[in-house]
Amino acid sequence: MDISWVLFTIGVALIAGKIGDHVMGKFGLPGVLGEILMGMILGNLLFFGIVDPKYLTIHNNEIFDFLSRLGIIFLLFLGGLDIDLKALKRTGKVATVSTIFGVIAPLLMGYFALSTMGYTTKESFVAGVILTATSIGITVRVMMDMGVLRSEVGTASLSASVMDDFLGIILIIFAVGSGSILGLIGKITGFLIITGFLGWKLVNKYINFSEYLHVEKGVLSMALAMMFLFAFLAENWFEAAIEGSLIAGMVLSKTPEGKSLLEDIKTIGYGFLIPIFFVYTGAMLNLTVFGNLDSIYLAIVLTGIAVVSKVIGRGFGAHIMGWDIKKSLQMGIGSIPRTEIALVNLMVAIQAGAILPENVPKFIAATLILITISVLITPPLLKWAFKDETNALEI
């Protein structure tokens, strides 16, 4: 790999992402949509053979892939730092109930829909599991940009999406029959004890130590170290680094020093890594998959269920816990996007042989179409759902 063209690609991705952000802003749409669309353009220049991948190294590039992973890690760390802990405690029950309904609805609807289409029991269950996973990154980014992440809906959506991921990991292991569910639950419990309970108890001493060092940006470096260590534990134990970074941010948010780091973290995140993540996300959306009619039919079914089941499932869960229709709808819309978790679950199922070989291409293409549509429709839907709140903030 020629490092010079990697540097070129990073520069092009940042310029394109920020131009896309600006253009979407002119139309009153979330900037993240522009970054994703610009990524789609760059990526499909390669998919359609217009540009030589030697020069635009977005695909099959470990460096770019790693930077994009850092982008989502920083975004969730920012989300944790910016969270309102009192609102988190206040909305905990709502988030839990809406998560349960938001997992059950797509799981059952996906399973029964594919069963009636003639797919095997295992394939149908895998499809249901794929539909349970919410992409937290897009929702967090849009809500942060609109200034509503600290609202009750924003806080509940964040914690519900984390629970979604944990349940999704457990469900895919159950679906393919690989690994120990009890062992995984033990690791998740251990992780939460170490990062949540112990981290919560010791974070003030940790911050005091970083201040004692009296070095330039010492607190910032130690906070980033904590983020990376929490992400390491989560990734090493159950392949969920973003949950680790989110909890690190939440733990640090209880301290005045943690809150004061927001601008420094935003500079690194929004100036570099977060746009890279969303451009990379867009670049992975291969428009050639829309040429397969069998895949399109399966994708229409999956996408329809993905949208309806999450909006109804999470929204119903929030509503029976006392939220009005508007807030319940906002909660549901925030759970529409699917990205990397859906693909990871699909690949695990394929590698375990849960999907018949002749159906593998259809599942891959249909999942990519589902991801493309869900990623593109969520930002404007969130903008519409929160229009009253954003208008109030502008006054």
Side-chain angles (χ1 to χ4, degrees):
M1 183 188 299
D2 188 341
I3 194 68
S4 65
W5 289 108
V6 175
L7 297 173
F8 171 78
T9 301
I10 293 171
V12 169
L14 286 171
I15 292 170
K18 288 304 178 183
I19 290 174
D21 193 333
H22 170 76
V23 171
M24 288 300 109
K26 290 290 186 181
F27 289 96
L29 294 168
V32 63
L33 184 59
E35 294 172 4
I36 292 169
L37 287 172
M38 293 302 274
M40 286 179 67
I41 293 172
L42 294 177
N44 281 277
L45 289 175
L46 301 173
F47 287 128
F48 285 92
I50 299 171
V51 174
D52 191 329
K54 172 184 175 183
Y55 305 118
L56 195 62
T57 62
I58 292 179
H59 300 152
N60 302 316
N61 181 335
E62 290 183 0
I63 296 173
F64 210 86
D65 178 69
F66 178 68
L67 289 176
S68 75
R69 288 173 183 266
L70 283 183
I72 186 65
I73 286 171
F74 265 78
L75 178 60
L76 270 293
F77 184 54
L78 268 172
L81 281 173
D82 197 38
I83 204 165
D84 185 338
L85 292 175
K86 290 181 179 178
L88 181 67
K89 185 177 180 180
R90 192 168 60 248
T91 60
K93 291 181 181 179
V94 176
T96 301
V97 174
S98 66
T99 297
I100 293 170
F101 282 97
V103 167
I104 291 174
L107 181 65
L108 293 180
M109 289 176 70
Y111 173 79
F112 286 115
L114 265 71
S115 293
T116 59
M117 292 169 66
Y119 290 94
T120 67
T121 299
K122 212 164 222 184
E123 287 174 330
S124 302
F125 192 77
V126 166
V129 173
I130 289 170
L131 296 175
T132 63
T134 297
S135 174
I136 190 174
I138 292 170
T139 299
V140 168
R141 169 67 186 274
V142 175
M143 286 185 173
M144 284 187 72
D145 289 352
M146 293 192 299
V148 297
L149 185 63
R150 290 174 62 83
S151 67
E152 285 191 338
V153 176
T155 304
S157 294
L158 191 58
S159 52
S161 295
V162 172
M163 288 185 271
D164 256 7
D165 282 357
F166 286 142
L167 289 173
I169 294 168
I170 293 170
L171 284 171
I172 195 62
I173 288 177
F174 176 77
V176 302
S178 64
S180 167
I181 293 178
L182 287 177
L184 177 62
I185 293 173
K187 286 180 179 179
I188 292 174
T189 303
F191 169 77
L192 293 174
I193 291 173
I194 292 171
T195 58
F197 181 72
L198 292 180
W200 191 265
K201 293 292 184 183
L202 300 175
V203 65
N204 286 316
K205 291 182 179 179
Y206 183 75
I207 292 296
N208 290 339
F209 172 72
S210 64
E211 291 177 327
Y212 170 78
L213 296 175
H214 293 294
V215 293
E216 185 72 19
K217 296 292 183 182
V219 176
L220 174 62
S221 293
M222 298 296 272
L224 291 175
M226 182 175 172
M227 176 193 77
F228 283 120
L229 289 172
F230 278 31
F232 157 75
L233 278 179
E235 182 69 19
N236 189 260
W237 286 1
F238 40 86
E239 299 181 359
I242 59 175
E243 269 69 36
S245 63
L246 172 66
I247 292 176
M250 290 168 62
V251 169
L252 283 165
S253 73
K254 69 173 284 194
T255 68
E257 294 83 1
K259 288 292 188 185
S260 69
L261 292 174
L262 266 171
E263 291 308 313
D264 284 337
I265 304 296
K266 280 184 178 179
T267 299
I268 301 170
Y270 280 99
F272 179 30
L273 295 168
I274 294 172
I276 290 290
F277 168 72
F278 286 109
V279 170
Y280 183 74
T281 298
M284 294 300 104
L285 304 178
N286 186 345
L287 297 181
T288 62
V289 300
F290 285 90
N292 186 318
L293 292 179
D294 288 338
S295 300
I296 290 176
Y297 178 55
L298 179 58
I300 289 172
V301 174
L302 291 178
T303 303
I305 294 171
V307 175
V308 173
S309 64
K310 277 293 186 181
V311 172
I312 291 177
R314 267 208 198 172
F316 177 73
H319 190 58
I320 64 173
M321 292 301 292
W323 280 14
D324 60 29
I325 295 294
K326 180 184 177 183
K327 288 171 67 176
S328 300
L329 181 62
Q330 291 170 337
M331 187 77 173
I333 290 174
S335 64
I336 289 175
R338 317 295 207 278
T339 54
E340 70 287 342
I341 303 299
L343 273 178
V344 168
N345 286 345
L346 175 62
M347 291 305 149
V348 169
I350 290 171
Q351 290 167 9
I355 296 174
L356 296 176
E358 61 268 28
N359 288 331
V360 166
K362 279 196 292 186
F363 267 83
I364 292 175
T367 302
L368 287 171
I369 293 171
L370 157 66
I371 289 170
T372 303
I373 295 172
S374 70
V375 162
L376 294 179
I377 67 173
T378 301
L381 283 175
L382 282 171
K383 183 86 173 180
W384 167 78
F386 284 95
K387 62 180 182 296
D388 291 339
E389 288 81 355
T390 52
N391 289 339
L393 288 171
E394 291 171 1
I395 296 175

